[in-house]
Amino acid sequence: QVQPVESGGGLVQPGGSLRLSCTVSGFTFSSFVMKWYRQTPGKERELVARITRFGARSNYADFVKGRFTISRDNSKNTVYLQMNSLKLEDTAVYYCNADAEDLYGPGSNYWGRGTQVTVLL
């Protein structure tokens, strides 16, 4: 089975930094477009960042541009989200998503269980 597993969440002060990691086991990692989402209670899950299968292109939501960086290391089966200049409103559960639907069709999409990021004084 394909199982993304997130790590690196925690408690941080405004202006601080965290690096999230997501490791995917059970399949060839380069098969996946990797994405980070986040969700706060009362809001829909929203896309934070996306990186293509070999890291050629990255996309970011407007609310994180200039602060967050997505990257991947296919040799380690891992995608990262470097989060700098954190704001209170960045508090959320962050989810990793592995998407191979372009290659293998509907259903080839896998979610991690999430990692909590809390920004506060």
Side-chain angles (χ1 to χ4, degrees):
Q1 249 279 17
V2 177
Q3 180 59 66
V5 179
E6 304 97 335
S7 62
L11 181 66
V12 66
Q13 294 182 345
S17 298
L18 286 173
R19 190 182 74 162
L20 306 184
S21 300
C22 173
T23 299
V24 183
S25 61
F27 210 71
T28 303
F29 186 67
S30 61
S31 297
F32 301 106
V33 174
M34 298 301 301
K35 306 168 187 175
W36 287 98
Y37 288 78
R38 71 186 189 187
Q39 188 167 27
T40 301
K43 294 197 68 177
E44 292 188 8
R45 189 170 298 185
E46 59 187 357
L47 179 66
V48 175
R50 175 177 59 217
I51 188 166
T52 54
R53 295 194 295 120
F54 298 98
R57 296 184 299 279
S58 302
N59 303 98
Y60 300 92
D62 286 342
F63 53 80
V64 305
K65 284 182 179 176
R67 300 189 298 122
F68 292 8
T69 303
I70 189 170
S71 61
R72 68 191 295 159
D73 185 342
N74 286 354
S75 72
K76 297 180 179 179
N77 289 358
T78 301
V79 63
Y80 305 95
L81 186 67
Q82 179 65 46
M83 309 165 67
N84 298 327
S85 301
L86 283 161
K87 303 175 180 180
L88 294 176
E89 54 263 42
D90 294 320
T91 295
V93 177
Y94 284 73
Y95 296 92
C96 175
N97 176 265
D99 183 357
E101 291 184 340
D102 285 348
L103 292 178
Y104 300 110
S108 303
N109 191 283
Y110 308 94
W111 290 93
R113 294 179 179 179
T115 185
Q116 176 71 48
V117 172
T118 302
V119 184
L120 82 174
L121 291 170

